[in-house]
């Protein structure tokens, strides 16, 4: 990391939260388009949760907005650890599926921060990563509780008796 490893780490953490916020909001819009209001609302709620995390980072750092990311900044994959892939959305998905996507993202974020804790980053960065890993563990626990309350879909959940047709 660059000169101020802690600021670089916090900028990356903020970017991660922001990407998750934006992806969940995109999913909500797409599901609204398909009249899947229940799952759209769940994605809106997940997006709002991520917004709160991002705001907390800005407040803690005293930043009015995200500073420029360091040149070496890049995710290991195409997406940030907490962000669900854009192709993971299905227009007939149910709350169970949305929560599974969120669970996988929270688990990836937890592992991301745990890897930093186990690495050779400066002590202040590892301490912040440990705190964020603990927050992600709490999110995993909450999502698992939500999952226990929603019905698991039938095997044919994605069967559409009137599928969309391309007339163009």
């Amino acid at each position: 990391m660059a000169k101020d490893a802690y600021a670089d780490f916090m900028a990356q953490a903020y970017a991660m939260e922001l990407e998750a916020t934006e992806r969940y909001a995109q999913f909500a819009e797409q599901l609204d388009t398909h009249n899947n209001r229940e799952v759209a609302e769940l994605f809106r709620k997940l997006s709002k949760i991520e917004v709160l995390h991002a705001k907390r980072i800005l407040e803690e750092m005293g930043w009015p907005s995200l500073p420029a990311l360091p040149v070496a900044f890049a995710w290991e994959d195409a997406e940030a650890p907490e962000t669900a892939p854009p192709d993971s959305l299905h227009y007939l998905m149910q709350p169970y599926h949305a929560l599974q996507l969120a669970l996988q993202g929270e688990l990836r974020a937890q592992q991301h921060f745990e890897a930093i804790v186990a690495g050779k980053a400066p002590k202040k960065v590892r301490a912040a990563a440990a705190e964020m890993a603990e927050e992600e563990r709490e999110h995993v626990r909450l999502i698992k509780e939500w999952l226990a309350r929603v019905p698991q879909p039938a095997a044919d959940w994605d069967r559409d008796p009137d599928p969309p047709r391309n007339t163009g």
Side-chain angles (χ1 to χ4, degrees), residues 96-114:
Y96 179 86
H97 301 112
L99 290 169
Q100 284 290 339
L101 284 176
L103 177 62
Q104 294 309 310
E106 297 295 341
L107 285 168
R108 284 190 305 272
Q110 177 186 331
Q111 292 164 355
H112 172 77
F113 292 125
E114 287 172 345

mmCIF file of all heavy atoms in Angstrom, residues 96-114:
data_model
loop_
_atom_site.group_PDB
_atom_site.id
_atom_site.type_symbol
_atom_site.label_atom_id
_atom_site.label_comp_id
_atom_site.label_asym_id
_atom_site.label_seq_id
_atom_site.Cartn_x
_atom_site.Cartn_y
_atom_site.Cartn_z
ATOM 1 N N TYR A 96 -35.694 -15.815 -0.985
ATOM 2 C CA TYR A 96 -34.655 -16.788 -0.637
ATOM 3 C C TYR A 96 -33.419 -16.598 -1.509
ATOM 4 O O TYR A 96 -32.290 -16.596 -1.017
ATOM 5 C CB TYR A 96 -35.220 -18.207 -0.801
ATOM 6 C CG TYR A 96 -34.239 -19.297 -0.486
ATOM 7 C CD1 TYR A 96 -34.080 -19.746 0.819
ATOM 8 C CD2 TYR A 96 -33.464 -19.889 -1.489
ATOM 9 C CE1 TYR A 96 -33.168 -20.757 1.118
ATOM 10 C CE2 TYR A 96 -32.557 -20.889 -1.200
ATOM 11 C CZ TYR A 96 -32.415 -21.322 0.099
ATOM 12 O OH TYR A 96 -31.513 -22.314 0.396
ATOM 13 N N HIS A 97 -33.632 -16.425 -2.821
ATOM 14 C CA HIS A 97 -32.509 -16.255 -3.745
ATOM 15 C C HIS A 97 -31.759 -14.951 -3.484
ATOM 16 O O HIS A 97 -30.527 -14.923 -3.525
ATOM 17 C CB HIS A 97 -33.003 -16.271 -5.193
ATOM 18 C CG HIS A 97 -33.710 -17.518 -5.555
ATOM 19 N ND1 HIS A 97 -35.056 -17.545 -5.817
ATOM 20 C CD2 HIS A 97 -33.274 -18.785 -5.675
ATOM 21 C CE1 HIS A 97 -35.416 -18.780 -6.104
ATOM 22 N NE2 HIS A 97 -34.356 -19.564 -6.015
ATOM 23 N N ALA A 98 -32.500 -13.887 -3.240
ATOM 24 C CA ALA A 98 -31.874 -12.597 -2.955
ATOM 25 C C ALA A 98 -31.012 -12.687 -1.702
ATOM 26 O O ALA A 98 -29.890 -12.179 -1.655
ATOM 27 C CB ALA A 98 -32.942 -11.518 -2.791
ATOM 28 N N LEU A 99 -31.537 -13.368 -0.683
ATOM 29 C CA LEU A 99 -30.775 -13.521 0.554
ATOM 30 C C LEU A 99 -29.549 -14.407 0.346
ATOM 31 O O LEU A 99 -28.499 -14.170 0.955
ATOM 32 C CB LEU A 99 -31.672 -14.071 1.661
ATOM 33 C CG LEU A 99 -32.720 -13.079 2.167
ATOM 34 C CD1 LEU A 99 -33.738 -13.781 3.066
ATOM 35 C CD2 LEU A 99 -32.063 -11.919 2.901
ATOM 36 N N GLN A 100 -29.663 -15.405 -0.502
ATOM 37 C CA GLN A 100 -28.497 -16.245 -0.808
ATOM 38 C C GLN A 100 -27.404 -15.405 -1.480
ATOM 39 O O GLN A 100 -26.225 -15.560 -1.150
ATOM 40 C CB GLN A 100 -28.895 -17.419 -1.716
ATOM 41 C CG GLN A 100 -29.619 -18.524 -1.006
ATOM 42 C CD GLN A 100 -28.729 -19.301 -0.055
ATOM 43 O OE1 GLN A 100 -27.507 -19.304 -0.149
ATOM 44 N NE2 GLN A 100 -29.354 -19.954 0.908
ATOM 45 N N LEU A 101 -27.798 -14.532 -2.417
ATOM 46 C CA LEU A 101 -26.816 -13.644 -3.052
ATOM 47 C C LEU A 101 -26.147 -12.747 -2.011
ATOM 48 O O LEU A 101 -24.926 -12.568 -2.017
ATOM 49 C CB LEU A 101 -27.484 -12.767 -4.112
ATOM 50 C CG LEU A 101 -27.841 -13.411 -5.430
ATOM 51 C CD1 LEU A 101 -28.580 -12.412 -6.317
ATOM 52 C CD2 LEU A 101 -26.596 -13.916 -6.131
ATOM 53 N N ALA A 102 -26.964 -12.182 -1.130
ATOM 54 C CA ALA A 102 -26.429 -11.309 -0.088
ATOM 55 C C ALA A 102 -25.508 -12.084 0.843
ATOM 56 O O ALA A 102 -24.429 -11.588 1.218
ATOM 57 C CB ALA A 102 -27.567 -10.668 0.698
ATOM 58 N N LEU A 103 -25.896 -13.290 1.202
ATOM 59 C CA LEU A 103 -25.071 -14.119 2.088
ATOM 60 C C LEU A 103 -23.704 -14.392 1.457
ATOM 61 O O LEU A 103 -22.672 -14.255 2.126
ATOM 62 C CB LEU A 103 -25.789 -15.435 2.406
ATOM 63 C CG LEU A 103 -25.017 -16.428 3.272
ATOM 64 C CD1 LEU A 103 -24.712 -15.838 4.647
ATOM 65 C CD2 LEU A 103 -25.808 -17.733 3.414
ATOM 66 N N GLN A 104 -23.707 -14.755 0.184
ATOM 67 C CA GLN A 104 -22.434 -15.030 -0.486
ATOM 68 C C GLN A 104 -21.545 -13.781 -0.517
ATOM 69 O O GLN A 104 -20.334 -13.864 -0.311
ATOM 70 C CB GLN A 104 -22.677 -15.566 -1.901
ATOM 71 C CG GLN A 104 -23.340 -16.930 -1.917
ATOM 72 C CD GLN A 104 -22.648 -17.948 -1.034
ATOM 73 O OE1 GLN A 104 -21.439 -18.133 -1.108
ATOM 74 N NE2 GLN A 104 -23.411 -18.581 -0.158
ATOM 75 N N GLY A 105 -22.147 -12.628 -0.762
ATOM 76 C CA GLY A 105 -21.379 -11.380 -0.765
ATOM 77 C C GLY A 105 -20.805 -11.059 0.600
ATOM 78 O O GLY A 105 -19.640 -10.664 0.720
ATOM 79 N N GLU A 106 -21.595 -11.232 1.637
ATOM 80 C CA GLU A 106 -21.119 -10.955 3.000
ATOM 81 C C GLU A 106 -20.007 -11.929 3.386
ATOM 82 O O GLU A 106 -19.029 -11.536 4.040
ATOM 83 C CB GLU A 106 -22.271 -11.028 4.003
ATOM 84 C CG GLU A 106 -23.367 -10.003 3.788
ATOM 85 C CD GLU A 106 -22.941 -8.564 3.974
ATOM 86 O OE1 GLU A 106 -21.909 -8.292 4.608
ATOM 87 O OE2 GLU A 106 -23.666 -7.684 3.476
ATOM 88 N N LEU A 107 -20.137 -13.179 2.975
ATOM 89 C CA LEU A 107 -19.080 -14.161 3.265
ATOM 90 C C LEU A 107 -17.788 -13.799 2.536
ATOM 91 O O LEU A 107 -16.694 -13.883 3.116
ATOM 92 C CB LEU A 107 -19.529 -15.570 2.882
ATOM 93 C CG LEU A 107 -20.536 -16.215 3.824
ATOM 94 C CD1 LEU A 107 -21.136 -17.473 3.192
ATOM 95 C CD2 LEU A 107 -19.903 -16.544 5.173
ATOM 96 N N ARG A 108 -17.904 -13.375 1.270
ATOM 97 C CA ARG A 108 -16.704 -12.953 0.529
ATOM 98 C C ARG A 108 -16.061 -11.732 1.178
ATOM 99 O O ARG A 108 -14.834 -11.647 1.292
ATOM 100 C CB ARG A 108 -17.044 -12.658 -0.932
ATOM 101 C CG ARG A 108 -17.248 -13.884 -1.793
ATOM 102 C CD ARG A 108 -17.342 -13.536 -3.277
ATOM 103 N NE ARG A 108 -18.366 -12.549 -3.566
ATOM 104 C CZ ARG A 108 -19.634 -12.830 -3.828
ATOM 105 N NH1 ARG A 108 -20.061 -14.070 -3.830
ATOM 106 N NH2 ARG A 108 -20.497 -11.847 -4.097
ATOM 107 N N ALA A 109 -16.888 -10.782 1.620
ATOM 108 C CA ALA A 109 -16.350 -9.592 2.290
ATOM 109 C C ALA A 109 -15.647 -9.980 3.587
ATOM 110 O O ALA A 109 -14.553 -9.486 3.882
ATOM 111 C CB ALA A 109 -17.468 -8.592 2.564
ATOM 112 N N GLN A 110 -16.270 -10.864 4.355
ATOM 113 C CA GLN A 110 -15.656 -11.336 5.604
ATOM 114 C C GLN A 110 -14.296 -11.977 5.316
ATOM 115 O O GLN A 110 -13.305 -11.656 5.978
ATOM 116 C CB GLN A 110 -16.584 -12.350 6.272
ATOM 117 C CG GLN A 110 -16.020 -12.953 7.534
ATOM 118 C CD GLN A 110 -16.911 -14.065 8.094
ATOM 119 O OE1 GLN A 110 -18.123 -14.055 7.907
ATOM 120 N NE2 GLN A 110 -16.300 -15.012 8.753
ATOM 121 N N GLN A 111 -14.235 -12.844 4.321
ATOM 122 C CA GLN A 111 -12.974 -13.501 3.966
ATOM 123 C C GLN A 111 -11.938 -12.491 3.483
ATOM 124 O O GLN A 111 -10.745 -12.619 3.794
ATOM 125 C CB GLN A 111 -13.228 -14.570 2.901
ATOM 126 C CG GLN A 111 -14.033 -15.735 3.427
ATOM 127 C CD GLN A 111 -14.619 -16.606 2.323
ATOM 128 O OE1 GLN A 111 -14.500 -16.301 1.134
ATOM 129 N NE2 GLN A 111 -15.276 -17.686 2.720
ATOM 130 N N HIS A 112 -12.384 -11.485 2.744
ATOM 131 C CA HIS A 112 -11.487 -10.437 2.262
ATOM 132 C C HIS A 112 -10.807 -9.734 3.445
ATOM 133 O O HIS A 112 -9.588 -9.582 3.475
ATOM 134 C CB HIS A 112 -12.274 -9.431 1.414
ATOM 135 C CG HIS A 112 -11.513 -8.216 1.033
ATOM 136 N ND1 HIS A 112 -10.574 -8.202 0.028
ATOM 137 C CD2 HIS A 112 -11.549 -6.940 1.530
ATOM 138 C CE1 HIS A 112 -10.052 -6.984 -0.078
ATOM 139 N NE2 HIS A 112 -10.636 -6.202 0.808
ATOM 140 N N PHE A 113 -11.621 -9.324 4.422
ATOM 141 C CA PHE A 113 -11.063 -8.624 5.578
ATOM 142 C C PHE A 113 -10.228 -9.549 6.455
ATOM 143 O O PHE A 113 -9.197 -9.141 6.988
ATOM 144 C CB PHE A 113 -12.172 -7.945 6.382
ATOM 145 C CG PHE A 113 -12.812 -6.799 5.649
ATOM 146 C CD1 PHE A 113 -14.181 -6.762 5.442
ATOM 147 C CD2 PHE A 113 -12.049 -5.751 5.150
ATOM 148 C CE1 PHE A 113 -14.780 -5.708 4.756
ATOM 149 C CE2 PHE A 113 -12.630 -4.696 4.465
ATOM 150 C CZ PHE A 113 -14.000 -4.678 4.271
ATOM 151 N N GLU A 114 -10.638 -10.795 6.587
ATOM 152 C CA GLU A 114 -9.856 -11.759 7.374
ATOM 153 C C GLU A 114 -8.484 -12.000 6.745
ATOM 154 O O GLU A 114 -7.491 -12.168 7.463
ATOM 155 C CB GLU A 114 -10.616 -13.072 7.527
ATOM 156 C CG GLU A 114 -11.789 -12.966 8.490
ATOM 157 C CD GLU A 114 -12.680 -14.200 8.518
ATOM 158 O OE1 GLU A 114 -12.584 -15.045 7.591
ATOM 159 O OE2 GLU A 114 -13.488 -14.305 9.456
#
